[in-house]
Amino acid sequence: MGERYLKSVRLLAECMQGFERFSGESVRQHGLTHAQFDIIATLGNTPGMSYKELGERTLITKGTLTGVIERLEQKGLVLRERSSEDKRSFFVRLTPAGDAVFCDVFPQVVAHGKQLFSAYSEAEFDALNGALRLLRERIAAGSQSLSSPTNKELP
Amino acid sequence: MGERYLKSVRLLAECMQGFERFSGESVRQHGLTHAQFDIIATLGNTPGMSYKELGERTLITKGTLTGVIERLEQKGLVLRERSSEDKRSFFVRLTPAGDAVFCDVFPQVVAHGKQLFSAYSEAEFDALNGALRLLRERIAAGSQSLSSPTNKELP
DNA sequence: TATTGTTATACTCTATAACTATA
DNA sequence: TATAGTTATAGAGTATAACAATA
């Protein structure tokens, strides 16, 4: 079938995979797994967040998250504090050491990325970011209509 | 700190993650893991390929690949044949059952995708695909200068 | 009753390295 | 020697479900 958007999806996957080829090596060299770096990168440049929010952002389910955070805590990279508002909830944030790793690992990813994007013009940046921003919007809109079970597809 | 392309990378990751939110559920409902679906999707609509090529395309290392293929073989979804040219090498391809799964799982991913892209205009498609195609090219060019000269070209 | 996070189970993936059999 | 794939190992991620404490 002429499912045209399949090409978009495949392109997206190929680009993401290509980028992971870059970043994966740097991440592993720092003794971090993909899931662990996912957490570090999500917490980086934020004041911290709850397990729930962290799980939603990283697509890591709560049962798994407990273990991943535990290992990062043992490495001294993250900190857990009970929320004062909701005593069921934890607030997770990077320690100074965790922030140092974030700042240390990311430039390495960035160094590859810089090389990758060095040939980009202003216009090409705008085109890429514009296209991705639109896609992200549509994905977000689609997620909403899917998560509510009563919502059927539109004509 | 004006690393502008970091925004592109983040957008790319968010889009990919958003799409995985869609596809992940369908894939798991069919009893496939992410890695297994990765193999199925890579073998789909191809005459088959060697472990080596499969590993390069999916970023799954050879030691892991043995196990993943083994499980897919036990499920009757893939077939391994010794290459007649190079007797060290195997040729892996989907069985009819595997192809059925590919055709069965993919439309479900596609059904979500179709809804997602239903609001896309011709121009928006062109913009997205053009931007992604350029990015893929640049990533490929960057990869060559970094690691092995494995040249992958798609039509 | 619903939600946040923990624990338990069983399995899969992962990196790495040593191994075989071809080349 | 080099390459394609296997095996072994130890650790980590994963889905799922039952559970505790809190809301």
Side-chain angles (χ1 to χ4, degrees):
Chain A
M1 312 277 224
E3 307 292 17
R4 189 176 177 192
Y5 62 91
L6 278 184
K7 184 179 285 182
S8 303
V9 171
R10 182 163 284 276
L11 274 167
L12 190 64
E14 285 171 2
C15 288
M16 202 55 220
Q17 200 169 60
F19 186 75
E20 275 170 9
R21 229 180 279 266
F22 276 119
S23 60
E25 196 181 340
S26 306
V27 168
R28 257 177 282 116
Q29 278 174 355
H30 283 257
L32 296 173
T33 66
H34 175 63
Q36 286 168 15
F37 181 66
D38 208 356
I39 300 292
I40 297 278
T42 304
L43 288 176
N45 285 335
T46 76
M49 60 191 76
S50 68
Y51 273 53
K52 179 178 162 59
E53 188 174 354
L54 211 40
E56 284 169 354
R57 289 211 197 190
T58 58
L59 301 186
I60 298 174
T61 51
K62 59 183 182 181
T64 305
L65 204 53
T66 299
V68 177
I69 298 289
E70 200 171 81
R71 268 157 240 131
L72 285 173
E73 201 178 20
Q74 281 169 2
K75 292 179 182 177
L77 302 180
V78 304
L79 210 64
R80 297 186 319 162
E81 289 168 342
R82 275 241 120 93
S83 168
S84 50
E85 295 170 1
D86 185 337
K87 288 183 181 171
R88 294 171 303 181
S89 181
F90 277 106
F91 204 70
V92 191
R93 58 182 174 79
L94 294 182
T95 62
D99 195 56
V101 168
F102 174 71
C103 294
D104 189 33
V105 168
F106 231 75
Q108 297 212 16
V109 175
V110 159
H112 285 171
K114 187 172 287 180
Q115 179 183 346
L116 202 160
F117 285 100
S118 60
Y120 262 75
S121 70
E122 286 289 309
E124 287 169 343
F125 259 124
D126 289 342
L128 178 63
N129 285 352
L132 289 177
R133 215 171 277 123
L134 175 64
L135 178 58
R136 185 183 57 181
E137 267 175 38
R138 296 290 162 81
I139 289 175
S143 297
Q144 284 175 3
S145 74
L146 277 180
S147 55
S148 53
T150 53
N151 205 335
K152 289 263 179 178
E153 56 190 288
L154 294 170
Chain B
M1 207 63 201
E3 307 294 16
R4 187 175 176 193
Y5 61 89
L6 279 183
K7 183 179 286 183
S8 302
V9 172
R10 183 162 285 277
L11 274 166
L12 190 65
E14 286 171 1
C15 287
M16 202 55 220
Q17 201 170 59
F19 187 73
E20 274 169 9
R21 228 179 278 266
F22 277 120
S23 59
E25 195 182 341
S26 305
V27 169
R28 257 175 281 117
Q29 279 175 355
H30 284 256
L32 297 172
T33 65
H34 176 62
Q36 287 167 13
F37 180 65
D38 208 357
I39 300 293
I40 297 277
T42 304
L43 289 176
N45 284 335
T46 76
M49 61 191 75
S50 68
Y51 273 54
K52 179 178 162 60
E53 188 173 355
L54 211 41
E56 283 169 356
R57 290 213 196 190
T58 58
L59 300 185
I60 297 175
T61 52
K62 58 183 181 181
T64 306
L65 204 54
T66 300
V68 177
I69 298 289
E70 201 172 81
R71 268 158 240 131
L72 285 173
E73 201 179 19
Q74 282 169 2
K75 290 179 183 178
L77 301 180
V78 304
L79 211 62
R80 297 186 318 162
E81 288 168 342
R82 274 239 120 93
S83 167
S84 50
E85 297 169 0
D86 186 338
K87 288 183 180 170
R88 295 171 302 181
S89 181
F90 278 106
F91 204 70
V92 191
R93 58 181 174 80
L94 293 183
T95 61
D99 195 57
V101 168
F102 175 72
C103 294
D104 189 33
V105 168
F106 231 76
Q108 299 212 16
V109 175
V110 159
H112 286 173
K114 186 173 288 181
Q115 178 182 348
L116 201 161
F117 285 100
S118 60
Y120 263 74
S121 70
E122 284 290 310
E124 286 169 342
F125 259 124
D126 289 341
L128 177 63
N129 285 353
L132 289 178
R133 215 172 276 123
L134 176 64
L135 178 59
R136 185 184 58 182
E137 267 175 37
R138 297 290 164 81
I139 290 176
S143 296
Q144 282 177 5
S145 71
L146 276 181
S147 57
S148 66
T150 43
N151 202 341
K152 260 188 241 179
E153 47 185 291
L154 295 173

